[in-house]
Amino acid sequence: MDSKNDNFSAVVFGNGDLKIEKTEIPTPGENEVLLAIQQVGICGSDIKYWSHGICGRFTVKSPMVIGHEASGVVIQLGQNVKHLQVGDRVAIEPGVPCRLCKVCKGGRYNLCPDVVFCATPPVDGNLCRYYAHAADFCFKLPKNVSLEEGAMVEPLAVAVYGCERGNVGLGTSVLICGAGPVGLLTLLTAKSLGAGAVAITDIDQHRLDVAMEMGADHAILIDTKDNKQAAEKVVNIMGFSPDVTIECSGSNDSVCIGIYATTPGGSVILIGRGTMQVTLPLVEAAGKEVDIKGVFRYANCYPKAISMLANGNINAKRLITHRFSLEQSLDAFKTAVDRTSKAIKVMITPAQ
């Protein structure tokens, strides 16, 4: 990896098999830009593709470039691109919809059946040196937003969208299940939106300690397999049932805890991805009129997330705990899954 003119990429070949491979430098289409990728964060879905070859309903069936939380610098413009210039620093929204279907025209383009999303099989991701992407899904970063923060826009957009789905606003009481990167960003987002008491749960005390440092009102260790008992613990510590629960861990148990804990008439928002078939106390939810809402990525949230970073409402840099070069990608993934590393957000720098 000694030539700046080569496009080296982190490629997942199968379960636990990740290699740095030389790939072609793409030529941008007329509505695309070619980017020199600067920073890429490791997401939970990246880890699942690397470790198990599957995430939700998507399965890795052939070698795939991993990575979708990225920022880059524009180095070439497609002939129709007018709003960006060579040298612009951008955050990359990784999902590109058809823009033409009923769903897209209704504004919820994240649900487009023909969306093409980075590092979602069989589409290659952007943990590489050079990457071509739709120009209208590249968002220019303000001068006071770093390229590392630019890579954090993607998970922050998830948090923003989750809070929108939960109607989080002034005085809303919130329970967040999971103190990983998205859970912590959801904490910061909820606080930025004026939420009242915000509690967060996890099975890792270190992450709960971080959550308290970042402004959580309550950080609750889940130390029982009895979901009703865990929900009672949450309500007792908060002093009341939360208006909304935002599940960010991918734990089936956390969804159940959320249903039991949430106030009647409240909402449970599902950001995390557990198993495909989940046993839930639906009669409990129905009797309390607790709405269960899904979250699939985000829509129209990148400008909001960038604004929150630029105006100082969100300090996403606090979550970045480890940094690696592209050559060290395998070590980066191993660190991300190693509980003893105390990693929260692991960042990789493809640029030389």
Side-chain angles (χ1 to χ4, degrees), residues 59-77:
T59 302
V60 177
K61 296 180 180 179
S62 59
M64 179 185 76
V65 179
I66 200 69
H68 64 273
E69 298 181 0
S71 64
V73 174
V74 177
I75 59 173
Q76 186 179 342
L77 304 173

Side-chain angles (χ1 to χ4, degrees), residues 339-350:
R339 286 280 183 179
T340 64
S341 73
K342 297 184 178 180
I344 297 178
K345 177 57 67 177
V346 176
M347 197 68 65
I348 299 174
T349 304

Side-chain angles (χ1 to χ4, degrees), residues 5 11 18 39 52 55 80 179 224 239 266 277 284 305 341:
N5 297 321
V11 181
L18 184 150
Q39 301 289 339
H52 297 97
C55 181
N80 292 340
T224 176
Q277 297 290 333
E284 176 83 10
S341 73

Side-chain angles (χ1 to χ4, degrees), residues 10-59:
V11 181
V12 170
F13 287 85
N15 296 5
D17 187 3
L18 184 150
K19 296 183 178 70
I20 304 301
E21 296 284 313
K22 185 177 177 180
T23 58
E24 294 294 323
I25 297 177
T27 300
E30 60 184 11
N31 296 308
E32 294 182 328
V33 291
L34 181 63
L35 301 163
I37 300 297
Q38 302 297 305
Q39 301 289 339
V40 182
I42 295 179
C43 174
S45 65
D46 296 321
I47 291 171
K48 289 181 180 179
Y49 288 131
W50 164 65
S51 61
H52 297 97
I54 187 170
C55 181
R57 67 179 188 269
F58 303 104
T59 302

Side-chain angles (χ1 to χ4, degrees), residues 210-224:
V210 173
M212 288 299 292
E213 293 171 6
M214 297 181 71
D217 296 285
H218 308 284
I220 304 168
L221 184 70
I222 300 299
D223 52 7
T224 176

Side-chain angles (χ1 to χ4, degrees), residues 92-284:
I92 305 163
E93 183 170 346
V96 180
C98 76
R99 309 173 180 83
L100 300 173
C101 69
K102 179 180 179 181
V103 176
C104 284
K105 290 183 176 180
R108 300 179 73 175
Y109 61 82
N110 56 314
L111 303 178
C112 172
D114 296 318
V115 67
V116 176
F117 198 93
C118 298
T120 299
V123 181
D124 283 329
N126 51 30
L127 183 46
C128 54
R129 284 191 181 164
Y130 302 104
Y131 180 76
H133 198 66
D136 57 327
F137 282 83
C138 293
F139 294 84
K140 189 173 178 179
L141 295 172
K143 291 181 179 180
N144 65 333
V145 176
S146 70
L147 286 161
E148 281 192 335
E149 290 173 298
M152 293 292 288
V153 172
E154 200 278 341
L156 179 55
V158 174
V160 170
Y161 190 54
C163 286
E164 287 183 349
R165 293 282 284 158
N167 297 313
V168 175
L170 292 173
T172 306
S173 57
V174 182
L175 169 63
I176 299 167
C177 297
V182 171
L184 292 172
L185 287 169
T186 301
L187 162 64
L188 294 177
T189 300
K191 284 293 188 179
S192 177
L193 293 171
V198 179
I200 191 164
T201 64
D202 207 286
I203 59 173
D204 186 321
Q205 186 60 52
H206 169 68
R207 290 194 167 189
L208 291 173
D209 293 341
V210 173
M212 288 299 292
E213 293 171 6
M214 297 181 71
D217 296 285
H218 308 284
I220 304 168
L221 184 70
I222 300 299
D223 52 7
T224 176
K225 289 293 186 180
D226 186 320
N227 295 328
K228 279 190 175 180
Q229 185 178 344
E232 290 171 0
K233 180 178 181 179
V234 167
V235 173
N236 287 336
I237 290 175
M238 293 188 73
F240 46 80
S241 296
D243 298 319
V244 57
T245 294
I246 304 179
E247 204 298 301
C248 300
S249 71
S251 164
N252 296 344
D253 288 330
S254 287
V255 181
C256 297
I257 292 169
I259 291 172
Y260 287 127
T262 301
T263 194
S267 299
V268 174
I269 311 302
L270 306 181
I271 291 179
R273 292 289 180 269
T275 59
M276 292 299 289
Q277 297 290 333
V278 184
T279 300
L280 297 176
L282 285 181
V283 174
E284 176 83 10

